[in-house]
């Protein structure tokens, strides 16, 4: 009953999406407000039905209804409740349903809060949203239906892949999808602008918050995924330049560029054509990511069953949407009027530079990701493009970009003064130089690049602080006044500072972790002690334990520093009987931003256990940086000037500020 | 500055950055891509000692020997040929005899493949995609490889690169 209900709701959602993708467009053409308003109600109804469908699948997983193929393949009655729920999107079918649900959610939000949008723009945007939605509903219903029944229901399910039985699954995919799919809004706005042949600064005012929202989620999603891989996979790596990781990094790079170019468009009414193109490219890269991960052309932890029809279907969606939107862009872009002039040395110029480097970096990642696939199709040669390629191409592009970051906010719109900006950044520069010297002295020579990279990171952070200090007049005016000015600063200024500082923080973490990581790999027997980075770890013993749907071997380590006992760490190795797989549960001990990391290997024949112990200095900064960036994004999003839903209140606020 | 000059400046900058990036990409593609081979292909192609490549195939049952200090040796077979592999370090969770493996490294002068990385890059059927494709091509694919526990459904274990280095 629930199964058929969920399935039927999904079909209804498709029908609504089809109406939403055609009727409002006709309405816009005939200038009929009633027909244009159909978009709003269908978008909300679509959200309702897809929500019902998603809730149905969750219910089936929670109640362990093994007559449903999707539940049978990915669930087990003994599985803890939280993994029964998160397991819904642990499978291909369920994750696609989550994808469209989030798409419908964004459409619904736009319909609900878009009352002050011009009617025809809203009709166009929602219609484009519905095109995307229709394509994916069709994809789900024809090739990956989560509501398929099994004729003879088995008693027990096959269980979820043990690697996925982790709290990370509850957070990482939904966050990532909110990011990916969130970019569909700016895509729809871009297509709507091209269809209407009209675009202005108000358009950018509308697009920027949605892009920002998607960007925040994508940033957190990627960071979360990276941390998950770090602690779950058991070898302490946090980024592998794996194609599926690149698939999420590319929309992030393009989305970051879009965020900055939309700023130019909003403030200065320039870079219109480029912003439109970036909106299209960003969502195209999100679609490409979906294709790479979901089509089975890649083997990875993210790839699910490789059914060729699915790959072909997604490839088709990809071609239609990317090809179609780019063709539309080629045909219509020249109609859009050019905007304001600016000198190369100006805020706009800096943002163009930012876009240039971000999109180029994105392009190199794209080349590295697709080259093996293309080469295999063309010549049959199997190659792999690994970390060395990306380190060699990505890093040289990111260094000038990061060096330029502090200058951007210091330059004035239209025409900036590079010399004055440099003078203002003197303090940050001095801080960077002393950081280089300190790092150099502390490392006693060693790798030359690491202190320089730390200097760069400190420069970026210093630049962000300088920006705020300059704006509040800190050190120039009495502290109380500076404090009051700081409170009066627009939140977006704080947002910029936090986001920029976040990159610097992440860079420090990355450099320290890769350069000064110490590790021990070897066999240990009970009572053995090893010393890693000043900590001494003693293996107390290994015991067997029974979990809800697995057996685990738990080792207990006593950690001490200078003979003082500090803590006990218990890494384990779990074997899941249903699937015959084992996973490594690393034990982590945080000391400040640094971590001790222990994971277990096989037991050796003579009763010892193979262990890996790492000390990772400042590793937590790698994820703390993105969190800061996302926090900056949220501050910026909460800026009243950006909150498009309240234009009147924003005007009142500006009046207030003037009165001060 | 006129609109034209401004545009030229920007296009100049863009071309410079793109050219720089293209140079980087070409340079790195020449040096840092790694080809995939099976033992039979190694025999045919006479790969020079010291050249890095990825070796894929099945771990020959009974060939796994553990030495001192985490050193292991095993043989990789593809039904036609066999190649001895030496590796030092931890093997990934999913390393099993009789099942698929991909190792990265190079041949030494004695013809032993010195692996520095053993990849956990495969699904729960213990069959890396590259290995499966190669076995199918050579006609050594047996359906029961795919019919291992779980039968080719759902997700995989072991993301991306190196289990150990």
């Amino acid at each position: 009953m629930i199964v058929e209900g969920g399935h039927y709701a999904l079909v209804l959602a498709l029908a609504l999406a089809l109406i939403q993708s055609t009727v409002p467009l006709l309405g816009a053409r005939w200038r009929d407000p009633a027909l244009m308003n159909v978009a709003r109600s269908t978008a909300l109804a679509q959200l309702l039905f897809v929500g019902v469908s998603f809730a149905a699948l969750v219910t089936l997983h929670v109640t362990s209804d093994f007559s449903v193929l999707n539940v049978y393949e990915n669930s087990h009655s003994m599985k803890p409740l939280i993994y029964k729920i998160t397991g819904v999107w642990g499978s291909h079918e369920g994750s696609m349903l989550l994808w469209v649900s989030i798409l419908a959610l964004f459409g619904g939000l736009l319909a609900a809060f878009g009352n002050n949008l011009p009617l025809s723009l809203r009709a166009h945007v929602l219609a484009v949203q519905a095109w995307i939605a229709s394509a994916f509903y069709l994809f789900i219903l024809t090739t990956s239906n989560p509501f398929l029944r099994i004729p003879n229901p088995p008693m027990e399910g096959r269980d979820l892949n043990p690697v996925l039985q982790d709290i990370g699954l509850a957070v990482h995919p939904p966050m990532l999808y909110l990011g990916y799919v969130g970019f569909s809004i700016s895509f729809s706005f871009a297509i709507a602008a091209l269809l209407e042949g009209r675009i202005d600064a108000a358009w950018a005012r509308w697009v920027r918050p949605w892009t920002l929202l998607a960007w925040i989620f994508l940033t957190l999603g990627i960071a979360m995924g990276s941390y998950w891989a770090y602690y779950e996979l058991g070898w302490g790596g946090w980024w592998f330049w794996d194609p599926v990781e690149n698939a999420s990094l590319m929309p992030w790079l393009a989305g970051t560029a879009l965020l900055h170019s939309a700023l130019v468009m909003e403030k200065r009414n320039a870079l219109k054509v480029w912003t439109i193109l970036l909106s299209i490219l960003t969502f195209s890269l999100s679609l490409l990511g979906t294709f790479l991960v979901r089509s089975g052309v890649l083997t990875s932890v993210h790839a699910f069953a490789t059914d060729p029809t699915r790959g072909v279907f997604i490839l088709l969606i990809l071609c239609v949407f990317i090809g179609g939107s780019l063709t539309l862009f080629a045909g219509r872009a020249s109609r859009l009027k050019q905007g304001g002039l600016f000198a190369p040395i100006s805020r706009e110029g800096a943002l163009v530079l930012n876009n240039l480097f971000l999109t180029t970096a994105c392009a190199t990642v794209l080349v590295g990701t697709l080259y093996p696939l293309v080469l295999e199709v063309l010549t049959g040669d199997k190659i792999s493009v690994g970390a060395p390629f990306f380190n060699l191409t990505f890093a040289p592009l990111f260094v000038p970009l990061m060096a330029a970051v502090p200058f951007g906010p210091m330059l004035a719109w239209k025409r900036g003064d590079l010399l004055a900006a440099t003078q203002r950044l003197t303090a940050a520069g001095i801080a960077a130089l002393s950081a280089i010297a300190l790092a150099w002295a502390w490392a006693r020579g060693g790798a030359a690049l690491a202190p320089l990279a730390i200097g760069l990171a400190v420069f970026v952070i210093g630049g962000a602080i300088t920006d705020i200090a300059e704006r509040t007049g800190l050190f120039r005016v009495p502290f109380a006044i500076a404090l009051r000015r700081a409170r009066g600063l627009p939140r977006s200024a704080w947002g910029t500072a936090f986001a920029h500082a976040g990159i610097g923080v992440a860079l420090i973490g990355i450099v320290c972790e890769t350069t000064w990581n110490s590790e021990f790999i070897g066999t240990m027997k009970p009572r053995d002690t090893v010393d890693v980075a000043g900590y001494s770890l003693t293996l107390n013993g290994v015991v067997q334990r029974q979990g809800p749907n697995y057996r685990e071997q738990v080792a207990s380590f006593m950690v001490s520093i200078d003979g003082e006992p500090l803590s006990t760490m218990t890494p384990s190795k779990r074997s899941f009987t249903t699937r015959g797989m084992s996973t490594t549960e690393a034990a982590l001990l945080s000391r400040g931003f640094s971590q001790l990391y222990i994971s277990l290997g096989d037991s050796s024949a003579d009763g010892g256990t193979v262990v890996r112990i790492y000390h990772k200095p400042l590793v937590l900064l790698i994820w703390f940086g993105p969190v800061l960036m996302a926090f900056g994004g949220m501050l910026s999003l909460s800026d009243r000037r950006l909150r498009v839903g309240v234009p009147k209140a924003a005007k009142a606020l500006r009046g207030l500020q003037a009165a001060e | 500055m006129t609109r034209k000059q401004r545009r030229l400046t920007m296009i100049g900058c863009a071309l410079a950055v793109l050219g720089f990036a293209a140079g980087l990409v070409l340079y790195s593609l020449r040096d840092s891509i790694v080809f995939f081979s099976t033992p039979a292909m190694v025999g045919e192609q006479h790969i020079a000692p010291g050249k890095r490549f990825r070796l894929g195939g099945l771990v020959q049952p009974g060939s796994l020997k553990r030495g001192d200090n985490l050193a292991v040796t095993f043989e990789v077979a593809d039904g036609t040929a066999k190649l001895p592999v030496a590796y030092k370090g931890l093997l990934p969770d999913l390393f099993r005899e009789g099942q698929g493996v991909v190792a990265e490294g190079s041949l030494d002068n004695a013809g032993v493949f010195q692996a520095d990385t053993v990849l956990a890059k495969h699904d729960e059927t213990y069959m890396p995609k590259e290995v499966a494709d190669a076995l199918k091509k050579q006609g050594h694919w047996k359906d029961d490889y795919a019919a291992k526990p779980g039968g080719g459904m759902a997700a995989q274990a072991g993301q991306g690169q190196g289990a150990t280095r």
Side-chain angles (χ1 to χ4, degrees):
Chain A
M1 180 52 211
I2 298 173
V3 186
E4 283 69 32
H7 191 184
Y8 189 56
L10 201 59
V11 177
L12 282 179
L14 169 65
L16 284 163
L18 288 174
I19 297 173
Q20 189 188 333
S21 55
T22 46
V23 173
L25 286 184
L26 292 176
R29 171 151 261 193
W30 297 331
R31 297 179 194 282
D32 182 339
L35 286 186
M36 283 195 264
N37 268 327
V38 167
R40 186 168 183 270
S41 29
T42 44
L44 292 171
Q46 201 201 111
L47 173 61
L48 177 72
F49 280 109
V50 87
V52 166
S53 181
F54 190 75
L57 190 61
V58 173
T59 315
L60 292 173
H61 271 264
V62 169
T63 55
S64 296
D65 185 343
F66 295 125
S67 70
V68 179
L69 186 64
N70 182 257
V71 180
Y72 161 67
E73 275 169 359
N74 297 290
S75 197
H76 191 279
S77 54
M78 301 294 281
K79 200 166 66 167
L81 179 65
I82 168 96
Y83 301 142
K84 282 185 182 169
I85 297 172
T86 60
V88 171
W89 52 85
S91 65
H92 166 80
E93 292 84 358
S95 75
M96 287 319 294
L97 189 60
L98 178 69
W99 206 97
V100 287
S101 304
I102 291 176
L103 188 67
L105 176 69
F106 273 104
L109 284 177
L110 195 73
F113 298 108
N115 286 329
N116 58 349
L117 263 181
L119 199 56
S120 78
L121 181 61
R122 191 176 74 183
H124 275 105
V125 171
L126 286 175
V128 177
Q129 280 296 107
W131 297 349
I132 307 168
S134 310
F136 278 92
Y137 288 135
L138 271 177
F139 171 68
I140 294 181
L141 288 170
T142 54
T143 70
S144 6
N145 187 350
F147 297 107
L148 285 182
R149 290 261 203 190
I150 309 175
N152 302 309
M155 287 303 290
E156 193 51 88
R158 284 235 205 93
D159 207 351
L160 184 67
N161 185 340
V163 175
L164 299 180
Q165 297 196 22
D166 185 271
I167 194 70
L169 184 66
V171 190
H172 169 60
M175 285 272 191
L176 208 60
Y177 279 9
L178 280 167
Y180 272 180
V181 180
F183 285 126
S184 71
I185 298 273
S186 50
F187 173 82
S188 300
F189 266 97
I191 298 297
L194 289 172
L195 286 175
E196 284 198 304
R198 198 150 41 84
I199 184 170
D200 48 25
W203 182 91
R205 237 174 118 80
W206 258 97
V207 169
R208 217 159 79 80
W210 291 102
T211 313
L212 194 55
L213 190 67
W215 180 88
I216 293 170
F217 282 119
L218 191 58
T219 308
L220 289 175
I222 294 175
M224 178 67 216
S226 157
Y227 189 62
W228 188 13
Y230 166 77
Y231 72 74
E232 177 69 30
L233 296 178
W235 57 79
W238 45 271
W239 192 264
F240 306 94
W241 293 108
D242 188 79
V244 288
E245 289 172 324
N246 296 345
S248 68
L249 183 65
M250 287 188 284
W252 187 83
L253 290 169
T256 313
L258 174 62
L259 216 55
H260 290 86
S261 80
L263 188 71
V264 177
M265 192 174 153
E266 183 192 347
K267 298 277 180 348
R268 297 279 309 136
N269 210 15
L271 298 186
K272 286 182 193 174
V273 179
W274 173 242
T275 306
I276 295 267
L277 180 63
L278 263 185
S279 309
I280 294 175
L281 288 181
T282 305
F283 185 60
S284 300
L285 288 168
S286 298
L287 284 180
L288 179 74
T290 310
F291 167 72
L292 285 177
V293 177
R294 288 282 162 265
S295 62
V297 292
L298 304 167
T299 322
S300 87
V301 71
H302 299 83
F304 296 111
T306 51
D307 176 352
T309 51
R310 288 175 182 169
V312 173
F313 200 118
I314 303 189
L315 192 61
L316 214 68
I317 295 180
L318 197 68
C319 290
V320 168
F321 277 96
I322 299 181
S325 53
L326 289 180
T327 313
L328 186 70
F329 176 78
R332 293 285 180 92
S334 54
R335 289 197 197 176
L336 304 171
K337 282 205 209 89
Q338 283 291 334
L341 272 176
F342 56 87
I345 304 286
S346 61
R347 180 86 64 91
E348 294 95 319
L351 291 168
V352 168
L353 193 73
N354 148 304
N355 271 235
L356 187 60
F357 276 105
L358 281 173
T359 43
T360 312
C362 181
T364 60
V365 177
L366 185 71
V367 169
T369 310
L370 293 188
Y371 184 67
L373 294 174
V374 173
L375 195 73
E376 190 180 338
V377 171
L378 293 183
T379 67
D381 280 343
K382 285 175 197 295
I383 61 158
S384 60
V385 173
F389 170 86
F390 293 103
N391 292 341
L392 255 173
T393 52
F394 198 72
L397 285 169
F398 238 67
V399 167
L401 176 65
M402 288 195 63
V405 162
F407 289 95
M410 299 281 164
L411 294 171
W413 291 105
K414 236 177 151 178
R415 175 169 294 130
D417 186 347
L418 194 58
L419 195 67
T422 316
Q423 278 169 352
R424 270 181 271 168
L425 285 171
T426 315
I430 292 172
L433 286 178
S434 13
I436 294 177
L438 263 176
W440 184 275
W442 183 77
R444 281 175 232 99
L449 277 177
L452 290 178
I454 288 182
L456 181 64
V458 170
F459 183 56
V460 173
I461 300 171
I465 297 170
T466 312
D467 184 32
I468 291 295
E470 285 285 330
R471 280 160 181 268
T472 53
L474 192 68
F475 306 127
R476 276 186 285 124
V477 298
F479 187 68
I481 298 183
L483 203 66
R484 216 177 60 212
R485 281 198 200 160
R487 243 182 284 154
L489 268 189
R491 294 226 188 118
S492 58
W494 284 103
T496 308
F498 273 107
H500 286 177
I503 321 171
V505 169
L507 181 64
I508 293 183
I510 290 169
V511 171
C512 291
E513 195 276 332
T514 45
T515 318
W516 293 297
N517 175 24
S518 26
E519 65 176 30
F520 164 84
I521 298 180
T523 314
M524 285 178 82
K525 289 181 184 163
R527 303 275 148 245
D528 278 358
T529 299
V530 290
D531 291 312
V532 177
Y535 295 91
S536 56
L537 296 103
T538 311
L539 176 62
N540 290 338
V542 182
V543 290
Q544 297 282 338
R545 261 208 314 239
Q546 179 71 41
N549 50 351
Y550 55 84
R551 282 192 62 74
E552 68 178 345
Q553 198 182 15
V554 189
S556 155
F557 286 86
M558 173 67 128
V559 186
S560 50
I561 187 163
D562 301 331
E564 296 279 312
L566 194 69
S567 174
T568 313
M569 291 173 75
T570 51
S572 68
K573 209 170 165 69
R574 293 183 179 166
S575 36
F576 288 76
T577 38
T578 319
R579 284 192 175 228
M581 284 174 71
S582 55
T583 64
T584 310
E585 301 291 312
L588 301 171
L589 178 69
S590 302
R591 298 269 291 163
F593 287 113
S594 307
Q595 276 192 330
L596 270 176
Y597 184 115
I598 309 182
S599 70
L600 297 183
D602 304 322
S603 307
S604 62
D606 53 353
T609 309
V610 179
V611 294
R612 260 179 269 191
I613 303 173
Y614 302 98
H615 177 257
K616 294 181 172 289
L618 299 188
V619 68
L620 286 176
L621 290 184
I622 297 175
W623 305 288
F624 185 61
V627 170
L628 266 186
M629 284 152 88
F631 177 67
M634 278 180 240
L635 276 181
S636 206
L637 194 65
S638 69
D639 193 320
R640 293 188 72 85
R641 294 184 307 176
L642 256 183
R643 220 185 297 151
V644 274
V646 285
K648 280 176 190 144
K651 222 174 267 170
L653 187 82
R654 225 174 290 145
L656 252 175
Q657 275 178 338
E660 258 178 6
Chain B
M1 204 177 238
T2 62
R3 189 179 282 269
K4 200 171 177 187
Q5 277 172 320
R6 181 191 64 137
R7 198 176 290 161
L8 279 178
T9 323
M10 273 209 238
I11 291 174
C13 277
L15 283 182
V17 173
L18 284 176
F20 174 62
L24 277 176
V25 165
L26 289 177
Y27 172 75
S28 341
L29 274 185
R30 207 187 52 196
D31 282 354
S32 55
I33 58 169
V34 184
F35 280 84
F36 174 87
S37 281
T38 62
M41 288 156 78
V42 173
E44 290 160 17
Q45 291 168 343
H46 304 291
I47 296 173
K51 175 157 172 53
R52 285 183 69 81
F53 64 98
R54 278 189 179 183
L55 177 74
L58 303 176
V59 181
Q60 183 72 16
S63 70
L64 179 67
K65 288 187 183 67
R66 290 180 194 272
D68 289 339
N69 248 336
L70 305 173
V72 286
T73 57
F74 53 92
E75 284 179 343
V76 170
D78 60 4
T80 316
K82 279 191 286 193
L83 194 68
V85 176
Y87 174 71
K88 194 166 156 47
L90 279 182
L91 291 167
D93 282 353
L94 295 174
F95 184 91
R96 315 249 166 115
E97 289 192 341
Q99 287 165 349
V101 69
V102 173
E104 195 173 315
S106 56
L107 289 173
D108 65 7
N109 290 322
V112 176
F113 186 79
Q114 296 289 343
D116 49 34
T117 315
V118 173
L119 299 184
K121 193 172 186 167
H122 45 65
D123 59 16
E124 60 184 1
T125 61
Y126 304 105
M127 189 55 64
K129 188 167 175 289
E130 293 95 329
V131 176
D133 289 350
L135 288 176
K136 278 177 189 161
K137 213 188 277 174
Q138 294 172 6
H140 293 297
W141 177 258
K142 298 187 204 102
D143 280 340
D144 58 322
Y145 290 140
K148 289 263 157 56
M153 285 300 182
Q156 282 76 24
Q159 176 184 22
Q161 318 295 86
T164 45
R165 261 158 237 269

